């Protein structure tokens, strides 16, 4: 199998296929720190951020909670379970059964006495709830996933893929995890970039996550368990062609806006040293595309393609349950490829 794309969705897909008996090559133009996944906030939340359809997203989110919580038992995975408190300036109501789905859910104004929220929290905010969530440290998690892939015989090829059909003679299965690249590779006009901006700060005193929402903005603080925290953020809707552009870099005014907004929740962040900033386009689509595409026209090899992209702002969190679904869709083709007749087309590893 060939997996196209080396963000966390591609890495989880490759690792899962290897576990199910496939031989896997990952081919991508960018790896690790040059991917959208590398700098993301990567906290589990319900409902999933910028993801549809609602019913599928809810099932993936539930499964993700199980997978990431189990992974948190191994420090090498880079997954941390921590308390996540959301505060509101007005009374609010949980949505989509948050109170029953989210672990150890508590709604109480007593949460506003948290010292990290500062002495004015009880007058600034009117409502709050909290629950336990897995948070992923993307650099650690991605390195761990790549080691897992390599240890199982997977390979990595850095190259530009202009067309999926050019790979059809190389594998019995192609999995498209190209994110925004699907605009070209899959000819998909529905994929759009939604720019996200955040900062990485040094805040070793924080061991819990926080968030607040306004009608036209949001702020969040996600500690990573290594003395740093992700603070953000923004969501600027993209337009056609954004997949070809670099995200607009943050200005000093942008950085100040993000820090000031986050410090309005956690005052100590006003003086937290900023380590770096991160701006990328999230691969937004009305619904995640996770399906088998029939063989391409003129493909004598009849190579199936499974598309797995369009995860919005939840790619890392949903990567593992979506990878499991890819593996289930791929299972019949593994049986066909390993049958007595083998493949109808000669294959060669990249």
């Amino acid at each position: 199998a060939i997996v196209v794309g080396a963000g966390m969705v591609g890495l989880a897909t490759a690792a899962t296929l290897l576990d199910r008996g496939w031989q896997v090559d990952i081919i991508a133009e960018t790896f690790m720190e040059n991917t959208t996944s590398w700098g993301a906030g990567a906290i589990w939340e319900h409902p999933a951020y910028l993801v549809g359809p609602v019913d599928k997203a809810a099932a993936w989110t539930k499964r993700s909670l199980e997978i990431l919580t189990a992974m948190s038992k191994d420090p090498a995975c880079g997954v941390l379970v921590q308390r996540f408190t959301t505060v509101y300036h007005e009374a609010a109501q949980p949505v989509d059964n948050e109170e029953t789905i989210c672990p150890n859910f508590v709604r109480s104004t007593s949460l506003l006495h948290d010292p990290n929220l500062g002495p004015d929290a009880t007058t600034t905010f009117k409502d709050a709830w909290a629950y336990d969530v897995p948070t992923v440290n993307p650099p650690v998690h991605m390195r761990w996933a790549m080691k897992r892939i390599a240890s199982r015989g997977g390979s990595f090829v850095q190259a530009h893929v202009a067309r999926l059909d050019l790979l059809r003679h190389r594998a019995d299965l192609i999995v498209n995890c190209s994110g925004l690249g699907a605009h070209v590779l899959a000819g998909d006009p529905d994929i759009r970039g939604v720019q996200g901006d955040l900062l990485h700060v040094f805040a070793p005193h924080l061991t819990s996550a926080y968030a607040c929402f306004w009608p036209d903005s949001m702020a969040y603080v996600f500690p990573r368990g290594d003395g740093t925290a992700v603070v953000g953020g923004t969501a600027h809707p993209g337009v056609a062609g954004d997949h070809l552009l670099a995200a607009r870099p943050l200005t000093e005014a942008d950085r100040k806006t993000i820090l000031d907004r986050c410090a309005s929740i956690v005052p100590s962040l006003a003086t937290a040293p900023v380590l770096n900033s991160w701006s990328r386009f999230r691969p937004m689509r009305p619904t995640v595309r996770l399906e088998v595409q029939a063989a391409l026209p003129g493909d004598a090899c009849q190579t199936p393609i499974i598309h797995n992209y369009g995860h919005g702002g939840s790619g890392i969190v949903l990567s593992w349950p979506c990878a499991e679904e890819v593996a289930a869709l791929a299972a019949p083709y593994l049986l066909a490829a390993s049958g007595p007749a083998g493949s109808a087309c000669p294959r060669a590893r990249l």
Side-chain angles (χ1 to χ4, degrees):
I2 293 176
V3 174
V4 179
M8 199 55 231
V9 170
L11 295 180
T13 297
T16 303
L17 288 174
L18 282 161
D19 288 345
R20 304 294 174 88
W22 286 92
Q23 187 179 54
V24 179
D25 299 307
I26 297 180
I27 180 170
E29 192 165 2
T30 59
F31 286 86
M32 302 298 276
E33 66 270 16
N34 295 314
T35 65
T36 297
S37 298
W38 185 262
I43 194 169
W44 183 92
E45 59 184 331
H46 177 82
Y49 183 54
L50 298 178
V51 178
V54 173
D55 57 339
K56 294 288 289 184
W60 292 329
T61 300
K62 183 178 179 180
R63 177 60 181 145
S64 172
L65 180 62
E66 297 170 349
I67 294 171
L68 293 177
T69 300
M71 286 182 173
S72 72
K73 310 300 182 184
D74 179 1
C77 294
V79 180
L80 169 73
V81 174
Q82 60 185 330
R83 201 69 175 154
F84 181 23
T85 301
T86 304
V87 296
Y88 297 88
H89 291 93
E90 304 292 341
Q93 292 296 325
V95 297
D96 294 331
N97 299 313
E98 278 183 294
E99 65 273 28
T100 58
I101 293 174
C102 300
N104 300 315
F105 183 97
V106 173
R107 180 184 181 184
S108 173
T109 54
S110 66
L111 295 168
L112 299 176
H113 293 283
D114 183 334
N116 285 327
L117 296 175
D120 299 326
T122 55
T123 55
T124 301
F125 306 111
K126 306 302 180 187
D127 206 352
W129 57 72
Y131 48 87
D132 297 334
V133 296
T135 307
V136 178
N137 186 328
V140 176
H141 195 59
M142 293 178 77
R143 289 191 189 100
W144 169 81
M146 290 189 75
K147 288 179 181 178
R148 175 175 165 178
I149 292 166
S151 70
R152 287 162 170 77
S155 72
F156 305 93
V157 179
Q158 186 166 16
H160 172 70
V161 178
R163 290 162 33 198
L164 293 177
D165 65 304
L166 297 177
L167 301 174
R168 67 181 185 268
H169 295 289
R170 296 286 184 175
D172 294 294
L173 174 71
I174 298 169
V175 186
N176 175 22
C177 301
S178 60
L180 287 173
H183 185 94
V184 172
L185 289 180
D188 190 341
D190 291 330
I191 193 82
R192 291 288 186 272
V194 175
Q195 181 165 333
D197 305 303
L198 51 81
L199 306 175
H200 299 130
V201 302
F202 184 65
H205 61 290
L206 294 180
T207 56
S208 298
Y210 302 90
C212 185
F213 296 90
W214 292 265
D216 60 347
S217 61
M218 60 181 172
Y220 52 78
V221 181
F222 302 154
R224 283 185 158 179
D226 60 359
T228 69
V230 172
V231 300
T234 62
H236 304 302
V239 297
D242 270 352
H243 63 288
L244 300 175
L245 304 175
R248 180 182 65 86
L250 283 177
T251 65
E252 284 303 314
D254 295 328
R255 290 158 64 101
K256 184 177 186 305
T257 296
I258 290 174
L259 272 179
D260 288 350
R261 196 182 295 141
C262 291
S264 74
I265 311 172
V266 180
S268 62
L269 290 173
T271 57
V274 176
L275 304 175
N276 55 63
S277 60
W278 179 92
S279 298
R280 290 290 191 280
F281 284 123
R282 305 176 180 100
M284 176 64 181
R285 196 175 184 274
T287 61
V288 172
R289 188 178 184 191
L290 209 173
E291 63 183 4
V292 180
Q293 175 184 317
L296 294 168
D299 181 4
C301 298
Q302 295 295 295
T303 307
I305 296 174
I306 298 178
H307 295 285
N308 182 21
Y309 65 84
H311 298 82
S314 299
I316 293 180
V317 172
L318 299 185
S319 60
W320 293 102
C322 288
E324 290 182 336
E325 190 160 324
V326 167
L329 292 173
Y333 303 105
L334 177 61
L335 293 173
S338 59
S343 171
C345 224
R347 312 291 183 179
R349 293 200 73 171
L350 294 171

